[in-house]
Amino acid sequence: MTRDPLAPFDDAVFAAVAEEFDTSTAALRDLVRRQQEAVRRLPGVDDIVYEWRRGFPNDPVVERRQEAYYLSVADTVWPEFAAALSLDEREATLLRTVHRRQLEATVGGSPTGDRGAMVLTRE
């Protein structure tokens, strides 16, 4: 059985980001779902994390859980996802904010420097 792409994302995170950016939780959920499904269409979640671990100078895995990978990825990763999903600047900011807030809520802390948070739901 395939895990729901939104499984590791908390309702409270969606609600807080929606309120801060004056958008709907439904729009945020749709945005995150689209991104999670796009990763699944790539070589797959486990495979992309493996490639990033090999290809980046710093291991991006902050924490690995049964339901998700919590990552601190190079900031160059996010523009690629934004372009692949045809996101405008606001949508890209919303998506990154949800991921950052979810990583902070789940594992504490947040990426620093030229790194960005990303939560990838494991299949």
Side-chain angles (χ1 to χ4, degrees):
M1 182 169 108
T2 302
R3 185 173 280 115
D4 178 355
L6 301 180
F9 293 90
D10 297 333
D11 291 341
V13 169
F14 284 120
V17 175
E19 183 176 336
E20 179 181 343
F21 287 90
D22 193 29
T23 191
S24 72
T25 58
L28 290 175
R29 287 175 190 284
D30 180 61
L31 195 55
V32 173
R33 183 178 300 280
R34 285 175 45 215
Q35 184 256 343
Q36 296 292 310
E37 290 172 349
V39 173
R40 288 180 178 184
R41 285 190 303 270
L42 294 171
V45 174
D46 289 325
D47 290 338
I48 199 167
V49 171
Y50 174 77
E51 289 299 320
W52 287 344
R53 291 182 94 171
R54 286 182 18 157
F56 291 151
N58 299 320
D59 185 351
V61 178
V62 174
E63 190 165 313
R64 177 184 170 192
R65 295 189 179 182
Q66 183 177 355
E67 75 279 359
Y69 288 101
Y70 297 86
L71 307 163
S72 174
V73 297
D75 258 355
T76 56
V77 169
W78 275 111
E80 291 176 28
F81 275 103
L85 295 168
S86 300
L87 303 180
D88 61 30
E89 189 174 322
R90 183 179 186 335
E91 291 170 318
T93 297
L94 289 170
L95 185 59
R96 288 182 64 142
T97 302
V98 169
H99 281 264
R100 181 176 48 80
R101 296 272 180 82
Q102 189 60 62
L103 186 136
E104 291 169 350
T106 304
V107 300
S110 62
T112 59
D114 64 346
R115 312 210 36 93
M118 185 176 289
V119 178
L120 293 181
T121 307
R122 298 182 74 199
E123 297 178 71

